[in-house]
Amino acid sequence: SQQGEEDPQALSIQEGENATMNCSYKTSINNLQWYRQNSGRGLVHLILIRSNEREKHSGRLRVTLDTSKKSSSLLITASRAADTASYFCATADSGTYKYIFGTGTRLKVLA
Amino acid sequence: DAGITQSPRHKVTETGTPVTLRCHQTENHRYMYWYRQDPGHGLRLIHYSYGVKDTDKGEVSDGYSVSRSKTEDFLLTLESATSSQTSVYFCAISVSGAQGHQPQHFGDGTRLSIL
């Protein structure tokens, strides 16, 4: 399979705590993106990190990328109930038009 | 939200019948994608298009065909539906494709059940 993998598959935390999810991938990439999917909806883009970047922030989101380990992590700080969703990483394969999605992490934030 | 409309939103059909799903965009984006989403598999690419009449296969293209005669429309056809094609289908668009450091924008999906 070409797909990446997210870890953990499911995560349950209390409101106000931080949530960390990880993504591993297999190929050489141009960039890596994180998406959120609420139940019954399409995916929504959260943040993109290029292969020459190591860390990026957007509001309460922090993404890191380690190309030597072919891995990325997404940190959501001070989580809210509204952050309850599935989170997917997607890699842009070098030299193609295609994105490859991971299998997702289901995050549940308890109020 | 990006202007992406998928139709129908829900469909139930029988094995062996042809099915066409439509994705319509109002953003004039060059790249369009069809994915299927199944439990435990995440999103898997079926076909994509990098321009009018320019399409290519993805990871799980067997049993599917696509057409793009206009920038705004990307059709996915199941020539003879099978139960294994029961899934949620998502269309996505992008300005520049995977190499352009631009995000994809997704429709809300079509839930297809094949009995």
Side-chain angles (χ1 to χ4, degrees), chain B residues 22-47:
Chain B
R22 181 184 184 231
C23 178
H24 178 78
Q25 61 145 328
T26 59
E27 305 297 321
N28 201 36
H29 285 356
R30 177 181 174 187
Y31 295 84
M32 299 185 75
Y33 303 80
W34 276 109
Y35 295 91
R36 59 178 290 174
Q37 185 175 33
D38 305 289
H41 290 280
L43 272 77
R44 292 181 290 175
L45 181 65
I46 305 171
H47 282 281

Short mmCIF file of all heavy atoms in Angstrom, two decimals, chain B residues 22-47:
data_model
loop_
_atom_site.label_atom_id
_atom_site.label_comp_id
_atom_site.label_asym_id
_atom_site.label_seq_id
_atom_site.Cartn_x
_atom_site.Cartn_y
_atom_site.Cartn_z
N ARG B 22 -21.51 12.98 -10.11
CA ARG B 22 -21.07 14.24 -10.70
C ARG B 22 -20.43 15.13 -9.65
O ARG B 22 -20.90 15.24 -8.52
CB ARG B 22 -22.25 14.97 -11.32
CG ARG B 22 -21.90 16.30 -11.99
CD ARG B 22 -23.14 16.99 -12.49
NE ARG B 22 -22.84 18.22 -13.23
CZ ARG B 22 -23.41 19.39 -12.98
NH1 ARG B 22 -24.30 19.50 -12.01
NH2 ARG B 22 -23.10 20.46 -13.70
N CYS B 23 -19.36 15.77 -10.08
CA CYS B 23 -18.71 16.80 -9.26
C CYS B 23 -18.69 18.09 -10.08
O CYS B 23 -18.18 18.10 -11.20
CB CYS B 23 -17.30 16.39 -8.90
SG CYS B 23 -16.40 17.62 -7.94
N HIS B 24 -19.23 19.14 -9.50
CA HIS B 24 -19.29 20.43 -10.18
C HIS B 24 -18.59 21.47 -9.32
O HIS B 24 -18.86 21.59 -8.13
CB HIS B 24 -20.75 20.83 -10.40
CG HIS B 24 -20.92 22.17 -11.04
ND1 HIS B 24 -20.74 22.37 -12.39
CD2 HIS B 24 -21.22 23.38 -10.51
CE1 HIS B 24 -20.95 23.65 -12.67
NE2 HIS B 24 -21.24 24.28 -11.55
N GLN B 25 -17.68 22.25 -9.94
CA GLN B 25 -16.97 23.29 -9.19
C GLN B 25 -17.18 24.64 -9.86
O GLN B 25 -17.36 24.74 -11.06
CB GLN B 25 -15.46 22.97 -9.14
CG GLN B 25 -14.80 22.90 -10.50
CD GLN B 25 -13.39 23.41 -10.56
OE1 GLN B 25 -13.02 24.33 -9.82
NE2 GLN B 25 -12.58 22.83 -11.45
N THR B 26 -17.15 25.66 -9.03
CA THR B 26 -17.29 27.03 -9.53
C THR B 26 -16.01 27.83 -9.32
O THR B 26 -16.02 29.06 -9.44
CB THR B 26 -18.46 27.73 -8.83
OG1 THR B 26 -18.23 27.74 -7.41
CG2 THR B 26 -19.78 27.04 -9.14
N GLU B 27 -14.90 27.14 -8.99
CA GLU B 27 -13.64 27.82 -8.65
C GLU B 27 -12.67 27.91 -9.82
O GLU B 27 -11.61 28.53 -9.70
CB GLU B 27 -12.96 27.07 -7.49
CG GLU B 27 -13.84 26.89 -6.27
CD GLU B 27 -14.22 28.21 -5.65
OE1 GLU B 27 -13.37 29.11 -5.59
OE2 GLU B 27 -15.38 28.34 -5.23
N ASN B 28 -12.99 27.25 -10.92
CA ASN B 28 -12.10 27.25 -12.10
C ASN B 28 -10.73 26.63 -11.78
O ASN B 28 -9.72 27.02 -12.38
CB ASN B 28 -11.92 28.67 -12.64
CG ASN B 28 -11.46 28.67 -14.09
OD1 ASN B 28 -11.87 27.82 -14.88
ND2 ASN B 28 -10.60 29.61 -14.45
N HIS B 29 -10.70 25.68 -10.84
CA HIS B 29 -9.44 24.99 -10.53
C HIS B 29 -9.13 23.96 -11.60
O HIS B 29 -10.01 23.27 -12.09
CB HIS B 29 -9.54 24.32 -9.16
CG HIS B 29 -9.45 25.28 -8.02
ND1 HIS B 29 -9.23 26.63 -8.18
CD2 HIS B 29 -9.56 25.09 -6.69
CE1 HIS B 29 -9.20 27.23 -7.00
NE2 HIS B 29 -9.40 26.31 -6.09
N ARG B 30 -7.84 23.82 -11.88
CA ARG B 30 -7.43 22.93 -12.96
C ARG B 30 -7.52 21.44 -12.57
O ARG B 30 -7.86 20.60 -13.37
CB ARG B 30 -6.00 23.26 -13.37
CG ARG B 30 -5.44 22.35 -14.44
CD ARG B 30 -4.00 22.71 -14.78
NE ARG B 30 -3.43 21.75 -15.71
CZ ARG B 30 -2.16 21.74 -16.07
NH1 ARG B 30 -1.32 22.64 -15.58
NH2 ARG B 30 -1.71 20.83 -16.92
N TYR B 31 -7.19 21.14 -11.30
CA TYR B 31 -7.09 19.75 -10.88
C TYR B 31 -8.35 19.29 -10.14
O TYR B 31 -8.85 20.00 -9.26
CB TYR B 31 -5.87 19.56 -9.97
CG TYR B 31 -4.57 19.81 -10.68
CD1 TYR B 31 -4.07 21.10 -10.80
CD2 TYR B 31 -3.84 18.76 -11.23
CE1 TYR B 31 -2.88 21.34 -11.48
CE2 TYR B 31 -2.65 18.99 -11.90
CZ TYR B 31 -2.18 20.28 -12.03
OH TYR B 31 -1.01 20.52 -12.69
N MET B 32 -8.81 18.11 -10.51
CA MET B 32 -9.97 17.52 -9.84
C MET B 32 -9.68 16.06 -9.54
O MET B 32 -8.98 15.39 -10.33
CB MET B 32 -11.24 17.66 -10.69
CG MET B 32 -11.61 19.12 -10.97
SD MET B 32 -13.19 19.31 -11.84
CE MET B 32 -14.38 18.97 -10.51
N TYR B 33 -10.20 15.59 -8.42
CA TYR B 33 -9.88 14.25 -7.92
C TYR B 33 -11.15 13.54 -7.48
O TYR B 33 -12.05 14.17 -6.94
CB TYR B 33 -8.93 14.34 -6.72
CG TYR B 33 -7.64 15.08 -6.98
CD1 TYR B 33 -7.59 16.46 -6.98
CD2 TYR B 33 -6.45 14.37 -7.21
CE1 TYR B 33 -6.39 17.14 -7.21
CE2 TYR B 33 -5.26 15.04 -7.44
CZ TYR B 33 -5.24 16.42 -7.44
OH TYR B 33 -4.06 17.09 -7.68
N TRP B 34 -11.17 12.24 -7.64
CA TRP B 34 -12.20 11.39 -7.05
C TRP B 34 -11.54 10.42 -6.09
O TRP B 34 -10.58 9.73 -6.45
CB TRP B 34 -12.96 10.59 -8.11
CG TRP B 34 -14.07 11.33 -8.77
CD1 TRP B 34 -14.12 11.79 -10.03
CD2 TRP B 34 -15.33 11.66 -8.18
NE1 TRP B 34 -15.32 12.40 -10.28
CE2 TRP B 34 -16.09 12.34 -9.16
CE3 TRP B 34 -15.90 11.46 -6.91
CZ2 TRP B 34 -17.37 12.81 -8.92
CZ3 TRP B 34 -17.17 11.93 -6.67
CH2 TRP B 34 -17.90 12.60 -7.67
N TYR B 35 -12.07 10.37 -4.87
CA TYR B 35 -11.60 9.44 -3.84
C TYR B 35 -12.79 8.60 -3.36
O TYR B 35 -13.94 9.00 -3.45
CB TYR B 35 -11.07 10.19 -2.62
CG TYR B 35 -9.83 11.02 -2.84
CD1 TYR B 35 -9.93 12.36 -3.21
CD2 TYR B 35 -8.57 10.48 -2.65
CE1 TYR B 35 -8.79 13.14 -3.39
CE2 TYR B 35 -7.42 11.24 -2.83
CZ TYR B 35 -7.56 12.58 -3.20
OH TYR B 35 -6.42 13.34 -3.38
N ARG B 36 -12.46 7.45 -2.80
CA ARG B 36 -13.44 6.71 -2.04
C ARG B 36 -12.91 6.57 -0.62
O ARG B 36 -11.69 6.49 -0.38
CB ARG B 36 -13.74 5.34 -2.65
CG ARG B 36 -12.58 4.40 -2.79
CD ARG B 36 -13.03 3.05 -3.35
NE ARG B 36 -13.84 2.28 -2.41
CZ ARG B 36 -14.45 1.14 -2.71
NH1 ARG B 36 -14.34 0.62 -3.92
NH2 ARG B 36 -15.17 0.50 -1.81
N GLN B 37 -13.85 6.57 0.32
CA GLN B 37 -13.48 6.46 1.73
C GLN B 37 -14.20 5.27 2.35
O GLN B 37 -15.42 5.18 2.33
CB GLN B 37 -13.84 7.72 2.51
CG GLN B 37 -13.36 7.69 3.96
CD GLN B 37 -13.61 8.98 4.70
OE1 GLN B 37 -14.58 9.69 4.46
NE2 GLN B 37 -12.69 9.32 5.60
N ASP B 38 -13.41 4.37 2.87
CA ASP B 38 -13.93 3.16 3.50
C ASP B 38 -13.29 3.01 4.88
O ASP B 38 -12.13 3.38 5.07
CB ASP B 38 -13.59 1.93 2.65
CG ASP B 38 -14.09 2.05 1.23
OD1 ASP B 38 -15.32 1.97 1.06
OD2 ASP B 38 -13.27 2.25 0.31
N PRO B 39 -14.02 2.45 5.82
CA PRO B 39 -13.47 2.25 7.17
C PRO B 39 -12.16 1.49 7.13
O PRO B 39 -12.03 0.47 6.46
CB PRO B 39 -14.57 1.44 7.87
CG PRO B 39 -15.82 1.77 7.13
CD PRO B 39 -15.41 1.96 5.70
N GLY B 40 -11.16 2.01 7.83
CA GLY B 40 -9.87 1.34 7.91
C GLY B 40 -8.94 1.62 6.75
O GLY B 40 -7.79 1.21 6.76
N HIS B 41 -9.44 2.33 5.74
CA HIS B 41 -8.61 2.60 4.55
C HIS B 41 -8.35 4.08 4.32
O HIS B 41 -7.60 4.44 3.43
CB HIS B 41 -9.27 2.02 3.31
CG HIS B 41 -9.25 0.53 3.26
ND1 HIS B 41 -8.14 -0.20 2.87
CD2 HIS B 41 -10.20 -0.38 3.58
CE1 HIS B 41 -8.43 -1.49 2.92
NE2 HIS B 41 -9.66 -1.62 3.36
N GLY B 42 -8.97 4.94 5.07
CA GLY B 42 -8.79 6.36 4.79
C GLY B 42 -9.36 6.70 3.43
O GLY B 42 -10.35 6.13 2.98
N LEU B 43 -8.74 7.66 2.76
CA LEU B 43 -9.15 8.05 1.42
C LEU B 43 -8.22 7.41 0.40
O LEU B 43 -6.99 7.49 0.55
CB LEU B 43 -9.11 9.56 1.24
CG LEU B 43 -10.37 10.31 1.62
CD1 LEU B 43 -10.47 10.42 3.13
CD2 LEU B 43 -10.38 11.69 1.00
N ARG B 44 -8.79 6.83 -0.62
CA ARG B 44 -7.98 6.24 -1.68
C ARG B 44 -8.36 6.89 -3.01
O ARG B 44 -9.53 7.02 -3.33
CB ARG B 44 -8.18 4.73 -1.73
CG ARG B 44 -7.62 4.01 -0.51
CD ARG B 44 -7.80 2.51 -0.61
NE ARG B 44 -9.21 2.15 -0.49
CZ ARG B 44 -9.67 0.90 -0.63
NH1 ARG B 44 -8.83 -0.08 -0.93
NH2 ARG B 44 -10.95 0.65 -0.50
N LEU B 45 -7.35 7.24 -3.77
CA LEU B 45 -7.56 7.95 -5.03
C LEU B 45 -8.03 6.99 -6.11
O LEU B 45 -7.42 5.94 -6.34
CB LEU B 45 -6.25 8.62 -5.45
CG LEU B 45 -6.28 9.42 -6.74
CD1 LEU B 45 -7.21 10.63 -6.60
CD2 LEU B 45 -4.87 9.87 -7.11
N ILE B 46 -9.11 7.37 -6.78
CA ILE B 46 -9.66 6.54 -7.86
C ILE B 46 -9.12 7.03 -9.21
O ILE B 46 -8.50 6.29 -9.96
CB ILE B 46 -11.20 6.60 -7.86
CG1 ILE B 46 -11.77 6.20 -6.50
CG2 ILE B 46 -11.76 5.68 -8.95
CD1 ILE B 46 -13.27 6.44 -6.38
N HIS B 47 -9.41 8.26 -9.54
CA HIS B 47 -8.93 8.91 -10.76
C HIS B 47 -8.73 10.39 -10.46
O HIS B 47 -9.33 10.92 -9.53
CB HIS B 47 -9.96 8.79 -11.90
CG HIS B 47 -10.00 7.47 -12.59
ND1 HIS B 47 -9.09 7.10 -13.55
CD2 HIS B 47 -10.88 6.45 -12.48
CE1 HIS B 47 -9.41 5.89 -14.00
NE2 HIS B 47 -10.49 5.47 -13.37
#
